[in-house]
Amino acid sequence: MVMPRIMIDFRKLIYLSIFFVSVVVILRLFLRRTVRTAKLKKWWRLIADRFHEHQFLKVPEFNDNFQENQLYRRVYLYVNSLEALEDSNFTNLFAGTKSNEILLSLNCNQTIEDDFLSARVWWTNEVTRDDVVGGEKRAFVLRIRKRDKRRILRPYLQHIHAVTEEIEQRRKEVKLYYNVESDGGNGRWRSVTFTHPATLETIAMDAELKNKIKTDLEAFLKSKQYYSRLGRVWRRSYLLYGPSGTGKSSFVAAMAKFLSYDVYDVDLSKVSSDADLKMLLLQTTNRSVILIEDFDKFISNQSPAGTVTISGVLNFMDGVLNSCCDERIMVFTMTTKANIDPMLLRPGRVDVHIHFPLCDFNNFKNLASNFLGVKDHKLFPQVEEMFQTGATLSPAEIGELMMVNRNSPSRALKSVMTALQTNTELARVTKSGRTVVEHRNPGTVAGESGGGDSVAVGCHDGVKELRKFYGLLRKKSMKKCDSLDSNAQG
């Protein structure tokens, strides 16, 4: 009777063990269902691929002349940008140019899968030993089903080209080029990394105008086929005009950063002739901003014989040579275009004219937001009233006052108000001084005879008096600002 009972207990133990193992297996399958499903799919694809005929296309790193294969470079960028790379068994990690950037790279002799137009393709990063010249031979091998090749191969390569262009543009380090007088065997252009911090968002400009310019630039980037259909060179030119300190140079920097274009700053004083200017243009690259600053000064100061002429610059702007220079933005800056022949700035030479005025109240609020982090303040109504009465300063002057007093927004705004008042009084005195000079008899100014000399003496004395008056106003405004601060603290 004892033996059967022991057998029964043993059977229960076996049944419990089987049940426990079954539960564990089911739990493992349940917890790893995603992994299991992926493996099943992978096995199914491997079995299905056995019934398809494939073709292999190799993209070597170098061509037969040992020159770099540009297609290899593009495939390298494309493959290492695929999301499937994160699921690869062997992936290399590298630090990018930015502090928080991590780049992925497919390991040697590993394969990654890609989908395009409902077809699967495979890329293998093939690395073999070169027994002829020594070292390693690198290539990417594309495996594609023969039935899909004719349908997707050409569109797929075009897709790779478009994606890698976007990647290169996004990773591009913008450079500033400047011309030198002699090439020294290294070309006429020298470059430095362009690290100007200005962006279209930080530029103090009317919001509606800024949006229009941004839309215009975005449309230009997408208009290659449109320009080609019209038979026109794919370029666009802008004229930025306004007083000094109104943000023209910062706007050029913001434009270049928005487009990710290099900047070629042309110094006409270092150009020897019209032919030399043409050579400089030919040495620029696509996707660049070509900048000529203070163009009005160049036009008003006629160049001597043997140097750059206005005709040469006009040919530089819209001549036949421009057909060799695609996808470019040309920018010219001026203080004023009032005395410039309109034919020099006609459409075709200059497409967009952008005026940079002295600061108004709207721009002042943008500056206060950028420099001080202030959206509204109790002193804003007083500042607005001063602007409405005609007081004004350049954005650079207001920005400097705010920067110096950035730890105290109230003090910064008071300093701006004082500067606006001082500038208004100085302008009023300047205007009255000119009126006095104009009403004087040119033949009897300061007891001198002769119109030309007498006017010069009168202007010189007026300037002296204005400088003295401006100095007194500055001292007065500083005392006034300090008293306001002491009253506020009290």
Side-chain angles (χ1 to χ4, degrees):
M1 295 296 294
V2 177
M3 291 297 294
R5 187 173 181 179
I6 294 175
M7 291 294 294
I8 293 172
D9 292 340
F10 184 71
R11 288 176 182 175
K12 288 182 178 180
L13 182 62
I14 293 175
Y15 292 151
L16 287 173
S17 300
I18 293 174
F19 176 76
F20 178 75
V21 171
S22 300
V23 170
V24 171
V25 170
I26 292 172
L27 284 174
R28 286 176 62 88
L29 289 174
F30 178 76
L31 294 174
R32 299 187 178 183
R33 63 185 184 278
T34 304
V35 176
R36 299 295 180 185
T37 304
K39 286 187 175 181
L40 288 174
K41 288 182 178 180
K42 183 178 179 180
W43 292 339
W44 173 254
R45 288 179 178 179
L46 288 174
I47 295 171
D49 287 338
R50 298 289 182 182
F51 298 95
H52 292 281
E53 191 175 1
H54 293 82
Q55 187 167 351
F56 295 84
L57 304 172
K58 181 177 286 190
V59 183
E61 185 178 9
F62 300 100
N63 60 22
D64 294 337
N65 297 322
F66 300 100
Q67 296 174 329
E68 183 183 6
N69 184 0
Q70 296 298 319
L71 182 58
Y72 176 88
R73 181 177 58 82
R74 292 193 176 278
V75 171
Y76 177 87
L77 284 174
Y78 178 77
V79 169
N80 291 323
S81 69
L82 294 175
E83 293 183 1
L85 190 63
E86 298 180 4
D87 301 325
S88 176
N89 293 332
F90 297 94
T91 303
N92 299 316
L93 301 179
F94 298 99
T97 55
K98 300 178 181 178
S99 59
N100 59 345
E101 185 180 22
I102 301 296
L103 303 179
L104 305 181
S105 176
L106 187 65
N107 200 28
C108 301
N109 298 312
Q110 295 297 311
T111 301
I112 190 172
E113 183 179 315
D114 190 22
D115 293 300
F116 183 74
L117 296 180
S118 302
R120 292 201 309 274
V121 298
W122 296 263
W123 285 103
T124 300
N125 183 16
E126 184 181 84
V127 180
T128 58
R129 180 167 181 79
D130 191 341
D131 297 327
V132 179
V133 298
E136 296 178 337
K137 288 196 304 183
R138 298 179 177 272
F140 278 100
V141 180
L142 173 64
R143 179 159 65 96
I144 185 172
R145 292 175 180 175
K146 279 194 172 181
R147 71 175 189 181
D148 295 329
K149 176 188 172 184
R150 182 170 295 181
R151 180 173 66 89
I152 74 162
L153 181 59
R154 188 174 294 276
Y156 184 54
L157 294 177
Q158 292 174 349
H159 168 70
I160 291 174
H161 182 82
V163 170
T164 53
E165 271 198 340
E166 183 179 346
I167 294 173
E168 287 179 334
Q169 198 69 6
R170 190 170 60 247
R171 294 181 181 176
K172 180 181 177 181
E173 186 180 62
V174 177
K175 291 186 175 296
L176 172 64
Y177 290 84
Y178 57 96
N179 58 303
V180 294
E181 293 184 2
S182 59
D183 57 9
N186 297 317
R188 294 288 303 281
W189 292 106
R190 301 290 184 271
S191 68
V192 294
T193 302
F194 195 43
T195 57
H196 199 293
T199 64
L200 289 179
E201 286 70 26
T202 60
I203 293 293
M205 176 183 284
D206 178 72
E208 184 178 355
L209 175 61
K210 188 187 297 185
N211 289 332
K212 286 182 179 179
I213 296 170
K214 189 174 181 179
T215 302
D216 187 70
L217 292 172
E218 289 173 339
F220 173 79
L221 290 174
K222 302 173 183 177
S223 298
K224 181 176 183 179
Q225 298 299 328
Y226 178 73
Y227 276 80
S228 178
R229 182 167 59 84
L230 293 178
R232 296 187 60 178
V233 180
W234 187 19
R235 68 172 181 81
R236 196 152 179 80
S237 53
Y238 293 80
L239 172 66
L240 316 181
Y241 66 99
S244 299
T246 51
K248 298 186 292 295
S249 297
S250 296
F251 183 80
V252 174
M255 180 188 294
K257 290 185 69 175
F258 177 77
L259 298 168
S260 292
Y261 280 12
D262 292 329
V263 179
Y264 286 85
D265 188 0
V266 182
D267 186 352
L268 294 175
S269 66
K270 295 180 180 179
V271 183
S272 60
S273 64
D274 293 345
D276 190 28
L277 184 61
K278 292 179 180 179
M279 289 303 300
L280 282 174
L281 179 62
L282 287 174
Q283 291 175 7
T284 60
T285 60
N286 292 345
R287 297 183 176 180
S288 59
V289 174
I290 300 176
L291 171 65
I292 296 182
E293 295 189 284
D294 299 323
F295 190 43
D296 52 336
K297 294 181 180 179
F298 170 78
I299 294 175
S300 60
N301 300 326
Q302 295 294 324
S303 300
T307 59
V308 181
T309 64
I310 294 179
S311 176
V313 175
L314 294 180
N315 288 329
F316 178 83
M317 294 169 67
D318 65 347
V320 177
L321 197 66
N322 267 285
S323 61
C324 306
C325 308
D326 229 5
E327 198 173 357
R328 282 173 171 79
I329 296 286
M330 302 191 76
V331 180
F332 305 89
T333 69
M334 292 183 177
T335 304
T336 177
K337 62 175 184 176
N339 300 321
I340 306 299
D341 186 352
M343 288 303 296
L344 300 178
L345 307 177
R346 63 168 175 78
R349 286 180 177 150
V350 177
D351 302 308
V352 181
H353 295 228
I354 305 175
H355 182 220
F356 286 76
L358 292 173
C359 197
D360 59 12
F361 183 64
N362 288 330
N363 288 339
F364 167 82
K365 290 192 294 184
N366 291 332
L367 291 171
S369 176
N370 292 338
F371 283 88
L372 306 175
V374 174
K375 299 291 184 181
D376 195 11
H377 196 276
K378 62 182 181 181
L379 293 177
F380 273 16
Q382 299 179 46
V383 177
E384 183 177 13
E385 185 179 350
M386 296 183 75
F387 275 112
Q388 290 175 349
T389 58
T392 187
L393 290 169
S394 71
E397 292 170 323
I398 293 178
E400 181 62 27
L401 291 170
M402 291 180 174
M403 186 179 296
V404 171
N405 299 282
R406 59 185 177 274
N407 294 326
S408 174
S410 295
R411 177 172 295 196
L413 296 180
K414 290 172 185 176
S415 65
V416 171
M417 293 170 63
T418 303
L420 287 170
Q421 182 180 358
T422 303
N423 192 59
T424 302
E425 293 175 354
L426 180 61
R428 187 182 302 116
V429 172
T430 304
K431 184 177 180 180
S432 62
R434 287 178 181 171
T435 304
V436 171
V437 172
E438 288 174 359
H439 282 81
R440 286 181 178 176
N441 187 339
T444 59
V445 172
E448 299 288 341
S449 60
D453 295 337
S454 63
V455 173
V457 172
C459 289
H460 185 266
D461 293 339
V463 170
K464 281 185 177 180
E465 293 300 322
L466 287 174
R467 286 177 178 171
K468 291 180 181 178
F469 184 76
Y470 184 65
L472 291 172
L473 283 176
R474 286 189 61 187
K475 291 180 181 178
K476 181 180 178 182
S477 63
M478 290 174 66
K479 291 179 180 178
K480 184 177 180 182
C481 187
D482 290 339
S483 66
L484 287 172
D485 291 333
S486 61
N487 291 334
Q489 293 174 358

